[in-house]
Amino acid sequence: MLEDKNPQKTSLAELGEFGLINHITQYFNINQASSVKGIGDDAAVLDASEKQTLVTTDLLIEGVHFDLSYMPLKHLGYKAVMVNLSDVYAMNGTAEQITVSIAVSNRFPFEAIEELYAGIQLACDTYKVDLVGGDTTSSTKGILISVTAIGKANKEDIVYRNGAKETDLIVVSGDIGAAYLGLQVLEREKQVFQVDPNNQPDLDNYTYLIERQLKPEARKDVSGLLKELEVKPTSMIDVSDGISSELFHICTQSKVGCKIYEDKLPLDPQVISTCEEFELDSTMVALSGGEDYELLFTVPIADFDKIKGNPNFSIIGHITEENQGLNLVTRANQEIELKAQGWNSLKEQ
Ligand code: ADP
Ligand code: MG
């Protein structure tokens, strides 16, 4: 995992806005040919080319979307970029630039912002995207971070949410439910820590879950994997709120229904063991957990042989007629209606 150590403290007031911007942006390089001008002028200049442009934004607020007591700032920076790149990849596009806007209160020393940007830079280097601009301002309380990602795709390659057809297979990359459980583990440790700060938690059984929560990776590779298999999804979405919600979006926009199978949901062994320990239903966690940043997509049934057995993908069900609704077939072979609930509603239970 990433480290987070800040022995020094420099006040933001001392540095000033321009000093801060200069300091945090000095280590960023431009790598994409389409980034004509990055940071330093009134606006960035991007080469539009003949492709179509994808633009997506997410706003993350302390206390609402993250808790700094267990989310190191370097991880926060990394994750803030990931959630945006994930949206570009969910359109079957290539992410090329990001902008980052932050509002911070004086409670944060400069070194904290440096940590945040170290995470952003790691994400930029790993995913080959350029930081080309942003805005910096103060907040009265806490920290707020907004990232915009800009990407490209050939018109004919873009995959929307509205193209799923009856009989299409429903496929998900990787495994699901781990990020939500990682959050549960971190929240439990926070409570334990508040009671006894000397208690050293043993998190060995949860490393994968915590990694998935604190350092998610956007699925940049899926587009290429599908191209190699000569499969073009008919619809696609990234898993930010949980499979149930994402299926709801795909089915509503495509005007179809779906049937997914409980025994087909890809779960990591740590998800299964931790669900037992927390007395949570693993199916519920997989469906409503969220923050997995995997890709959920549909493919024509004719592509079954190309996807079947591929270690990157699981076929979890198929698309049905709209009037059949959204259904889960349980291990006991019972059909129950899927509820579109994001991880927030799961939390309230
Ligand atoms: P302006 O007054 O024109 O908005 P700024 O002084 O806010 O310009 O920003 C100067 C340059 O630094 C611009 O290129 C802007 O995009 C960039 N920038 C400002 N804040 C950030 C930030 N937090 N992260 C990355 N780039 C930033
Ligand atoms: Mg500005």
PDB file of all heavy atoms in Angstrom, residues 82-83 86-87 90 161 236-241 246 293-296:
ATOM      1  N   MET A  82      -8.954   7.594  -9.883  1.00  0.00           N
ATOM      2  CA  MET A  82      -9.500   6.303 -10.351  1.00  0.00           C
ATOM      3  C   MET A  82     -10.995   6.358 -10.650  1.00  0.00           C
ATOM      4  O   MET A  82     -11.458   5.804 -11.640  1.00  0.00           O
ATOM      5  CB  MET A  82      -9.278   5.198  -9.298  1.00  0.00           C
ATOM      6  CG  MET A  82      -7.898   4.657  -9.247  1.00  0.00           C
ATOM      7  SD  MET A  82      -7.236   4.261 -10.861  1.00  0.00           S
ATOM      8  CE  MET A  82      -5.848   5.328 -10.872  1.00  0.00           C
ATOM      9  N   VAL A  83     -11.767   6.996  -9.781  1.00  0.00           N
ATOM     10  CA  VAL A  83     -13.222   6.972  -9.972  1.00  0.00           C
ATOM     11  C   VAL A  83     -13.606   7.679 -11.277  1.00  0.00           C
ATOM     12  O   VAL A  83     -14.598   7.324 -11.910  1.00  0.00           O
ATOM     13  CB  VAL A  83     -13.997   7.554  -8.756  1.00  0.00           C
ATOM     14  CG1 VAL A  83     -13.617   6.827  -7.487  1.00  0.00           C
ATOM     15  CG2 VAL A  83     -13.783   9.039  -8.577  1.00  0.00           C
ATOM     16  N   SER A  86     -12.333   5.445 -14.334  1.00  0.00           N
ATOM     17  CA  SER A  86     -13.264   4.322 -14.442  1.00  0.00           C
ATOM     18  C   SER A  86     -14.472   4.689 -15.318  1.00  0.00           C
ATOM     19  O   SER A  86     -14.936   3.875 -16.122  1.00  0.00           O
ATOM     20  CB  SER A  86     -13.709   3.930 -13.034  1.00  0.00           C
ATOM     21  OG  SER A  86     -14.603   2.854 -13.081  1.00  0.00           O
ATOM     22  N   ASP A  87     -14.953   5.914 -15.185  1.00  0.00           N
ATOM     23  CA  ASP A  87     -16.090   6.358 -16.003  1.00  0.00           C
ATOM     24  C   ASP A  87     -15.721   6.474 -17.482  1.00  0.00           C
ATOM     25  O   ASP A  87     -16.537   6.188 -18.358  1.00  0.00           O
ATOM     26  CB  ASP A  87     -16.602   7.716 -15.501  1.00  0.00           C
ATOM     27  CG  ASP A  87     -17.465   7.573 -14.256  1.00  0.00           C
ATOM     28  OD1 ASP A  87     -18.236   6.602 -14.173  1.00  0.00           O
ATOM     29  OD2 ASP A  87     -17.358   8.430 -13.366  1.00  0.00           O
ATOM     30  N   ALA A  90     -15.527   3.008 -18.813  1.00  0.00           N
ATOM     31  CA  ALA A  90     -16.875   2.436 -18.928  1.00  0.00           C
ATOM     32  C   ALA A  90     -17.578   2.867 -20.215  1.00  0.00           C
ATOM     33  O   ALA A  90     -18.598   2.298 -20.592  1.00  0.00           O
ATOM     34  CB  ALA A  90     -17.716   2.826 -17.712  1.00  0.00           C
ATOM     35  N   ARG A 161     -24.994   3.107 -22.093  1.00  0.00           N
ATOM     36  CA  ARG A 161     -25.766   2.268 -21.173  1.00  0.00           C
ATOM     37  C   ARG A 161     -27.029   1.720 -21.837  1.00  0.00           C
ATOM     38  O   ARG A 161     -27.678   0.849 -21.279  1.00  0.00           O
ATOM     39  CB  ARG A 161     -26.200   3.092 -19.949  1.00  0.00           C
ATOM     40  CG  ARG A 161     -25.047   3.524 -19.075  1.00  0.00           C
ATOM     41  CD  ARG A 161     -25.549   4.371 -17.916  1.00  0.00           C
ATOM     42  NE  ARG A 161     -24.455   4.764 -17.032  1.00  0.00           N
ATOM     43  CZ  ARG A 161     -24.606   5.471 -15.926  1.00  0.00           C
ATOM     44  NH1 ARG A 161     -25.815   5.886 -15.558  1.00  0.00           N
ATOM     45  NH2 ARG A 161     -23.576   5.776 -15.178  1.00  0.00           N
ATOM     46  N   MET A 236     -22.496  -0.821 -21.347  1.00  0.00           N
ATOM     47  CA  MET A 236     -21.450  -0.947 -20.306  1.00  0.00           C
ATOM     48  C   MET A 236     -21.610   0.166 -19.274  1.00  0.00           C
ATOM     49  O   MET A 236     -22.064   1.269 -19.583  1.00  0.00           O
ATOM     50  CB  MET A 236     -20.051  -0.902 -20.940  1.00  0.00           C
ATOM     51  CG  MET A 236     -18.921  -1.125 -19.958  1.00  0.00           C
ATOM     52  SD  MET A 236     -17.470  -1.927 -20.688  1.00  0.00           S
ATOM     53  CE  MET A 236     -16.937  -0.714 -21.887  1.00  0.00           C
ATOM     54  N   ILE A 237     -21.175  -0.147 -18.043  1.00  0.00           N
ATOM     55  CA  ILE A 237     -21.237   0.808 -16.921  1.00  0.00           C
ATOM     56  C   ILE A 237     -20.166   0.386 -15.923  1.00  0.00           C
ATOM     57  O   ILE A 237     -19.807  -0.796 -15.875  1.00  0.00           O
ATOM     58  CB  ILE A 237     -22.666   0.785 -16.298  1.00  0.00           C
ATOM     59  CG1 ILE A 237     -22.870   1.905 -15.275  1.00  0.00           C
ATOM     60  CG2 ILE A 237     -22.985  -0.576 -15.654  1.00  0.00           C
ATOM     61  CD1 ILE A 237     -24.349   2.107 -14.892  1.00  0.00           C
ATOM     62  N   ASP A 238     -19.643   1.313 -15.147  1.00  0.00           N
ATOM     63  CA  ASP A 238     -18.696   0.877 -14.113  1.00  0.00           C
ATOM     64  C   ASP A 238     -19.430   0.682 -12.794  1.00  0.00           C
ATOM     65  O   ASP A 238     -20.489   1.276 -12.555  1.00  0.00           O
ATOM     66  CB  ASP A 238     -17.501   1.838 -13.984  1.00  0.00           C
ATOM     67  CG  ASP A 238     -17.867   3.188 -13.397  1.00  0.00           C
ATOM     68  OD1 ASP A 238     -18.965   3.689 -13.710  1.00  0.00           O
ATOM     69  OD2 ASP A 238     -17.057   3.740 -12.641  1.00  0.00           O
ATOM     70  N   VAL A 239     -18.872  -0.186 -11.962  1.00  0.00           N
ATOM     71  CA  VAL A 239     -19.557  -0.548 -10.718  1.00  0.00           C
ATOM     72  C   VAL A 239     -19.105   0.398  -9.603  1.00  0.00           C
ATOM     73  O   VAL A 239     -18.113   0.160  -8.927  1.00  0.00           O
ATOM     74  CB  VAL A 239     -19.290  -2.019 -10.324  1.00  0.00           C
ATOM     75  CG1 VAL A 239     -20.100  -2.392  -9.082  1.00  0.00           C
ATOM     76  CG2 VAL A 239     -19.629  -2.948 -11.483  1.00  0.00           C
ATOM     77  N   SER A 240     -19.837   1.508  -9.459  1.00  0.00           N
ATOM     78  CA  SER A 240     -19.517   2.429  -8.374  1.00  0.00           C
ATOM     79  C   SER A 240     -20.523   2.302  -7.236  1.00  0.00           C
ATOM     80  O   SER A 240     -20.167   2.371  -6.074  1.00  0.00           O
ATOM     81  CB  SER A 240     -19.448   3.862  -8.887  1.00  0.00           C
ATOM     82  OG  SER A 240     -20.599   4.182  -9.627  1.00  0.00           O
ATOM     83  N   ASP A 241     -21.775   2.065  -7.548  1.00  0.00           N
ATOM     84  CA  ASP A 241     -22.803   1.980  -6.499  1.00  0.00           C
ATOM     85  C   ASP A 241     -23.207   0.549  -6.163  1.00  0.00           C
ATOM     86  O   ASP A 241     -23.987   0.346  -5.232  1.00  0.00           O
ATOM     87  CB  ASP A 241     -24.064   2.738  -6.932  1.00  0.00           C
ATOM     88  CG  ASP A 241     -23.804   4.226  -7.047  1.00  0.00           C
ATOM     89  OD1 ASP A 241     -22.935   4.728  -6.323  1.00  0.00           O
ATOM     90  OD2 ASP A 241     -24.462   4.875  -7.880  1.00  0.00           O
ATOM     91  N   GLU A 246     -26.354  -0.632 -10.886  1.00  0.00           N
ATOM     92  CA  GLU A 246     -25.819  -0.518 -12.247  1.00  0.00           C
ATOM     93  C   GLU A 246     -26.722  -1.260 -13.231  1.00  0.00           C
ATOM     94  O   GLU A 246     -26.981  -0.773 -14.334  1.00  0.00           O
ATOM     95  CB  GLU A 246     -24.378  -1.048 -12.343  1.00  0.00           C
ATOM     96  CG  GLU A 246     -23.416  -0.687 -11.212  1.00  0.00           C
ATOM     97  CD  GLU A 246     -23.346   0.781 -10.833  1.00  0.00           C
ATOM     98  OE1 GLU A 246     -23.941   1.632 -11.517  1.00  0.00           O
ATOM     99  OE2 GLU A 246     -22.696   1.086  -9.808  1.00  0.00           O
ATOM    100  N   TYR A 293     -15.385  -0.533  -8.786  1.00  0.00           N
ATOM    101  CA  TYR A 293     -14.783   0.005 -10.021  1.00  0.00           C
ATOM    102  C   TYR A 293     -14.414  -1.095 -11.023  1.00  0.00           C
ATOM    103  O   TYR A 293     -13.450  -0.974 -11.766  1.00  0.00           O
ATOM    104  CB  TYR A 293     -13.628   0.978  -9.713  1.00  0.00           C
ATOM    105  CG  TYR A 293     -14.197   2.105  -8.895  1.00  0.00           C
ATOM    106  CD1 TYR A 293     -13.950   2.216  -7.531  1.00  0.00           C
ATOM    107  CD2 TYR A 293     -15.110   2.986  -9.468  1.00  0.00           C
ATOM    108  CE1 TYR A 293     -14.573   3.190  -6.763  1.00  0.00           C
ATOM    109  CE2 TYR A 293     -15.734   3.963  -8.713  1.00  0.00           C
ATOM    110  CZ  TYR A 293     -15.466   4.056  -7.368  1.00  0.00           C
ATOM    111  OH  TYR A 293     -16.084   5.011  -6.627  1.00  0.00           O
ATOM    112  N   GLU A 294     -15.213  -2.150 -11.013  1.00  0.00           N
ATOM    113  CA  GLU A 294     -15.131  -3.134 -12.086  1.00  0.00           C
ATOM    114  C   GLU A 294     -16.058  -2.647 -13.199  1.00  0.00           C
ATOM    115  O   GLU A 294     -16.786  -1.658 -13.026  1.00  0.00           O
ATOM    116  CB  GLU A 294     -15.590  -4.506 -11.568  1.00  0.00           C
ATOM    117  CG  GLU A 294     -14.655  -5.116 -10.536  1.00  0.00           C
ATOM    118  CD  GLU A 294     -13.266  -5.450 -11.091  1.00  0.00           C
ATOM    119  OE1 GLU A 294     -13.125  -5.544 -12.329  1.00  0.00           O
ATOM    120  OE2 GLU A 294     -12.333  -5.588 -10.287  1.00  0.00           O
ATOM    121  N   LEU A 295     -16.039  -3.336 -14.335  1.00  0.00           N
ATOM    122  CA  LEU A 295     -16.943  -2.964 -15.419  1.00  0.00           C
ATOM    123  C   LEU A 295     -18.021  -4.027 -15.572  1.00  0.00           C
ATOM    124  O   LEU A 295     -17.733  -5.232 -15.517  1.00  0.00           O
ATOM    125  CB  LEU A 295     -16.174  -2.782 -16.727  1.00  0.00           C
ATOM    126  CG  LEU A 295     -15.192  -1.603 -16.737  1.00  0.00           C
ATOM    127  CD1 LEU A 295     -14.420  -1.546 -18.048  1.00  0.00           C
ATOM    128  CD2 LEU A 295     -15.909  -0.271 -16.493  1.00  0.00           C
ATOM    129  N   LEU A 296     -19.235  -3.577 -15.708  1.00  0.00           N
ATOM    130  CA  LEU A 296     -20.387  -4.455 -15.918  1.00  0.00           C
ATOM    131  C   LEU A 296     -20.874  -4.179 -17.338  1.00  0.00           C
ATOM    132  O   LEU A 296     -21.090  -3.027 -17.703  1.00  0.00           O
ATOM    133  CB  LEU A 296     -21.480  -4.102 -14.904  1.00  0.00           C
ATOM    134  CG  LEU A 296     -22.776  -4.892 -14.996  1.00  0.00           C
ATOM    135  CD1 LEU A 296     -22.590  -6.287 -14.441  1.00  0.00           C
ATOM    136  CD2 LEU A 296     -23.891  -4.194 -14.229  1.00  0.00           C
TER     137      LEU A 296
END
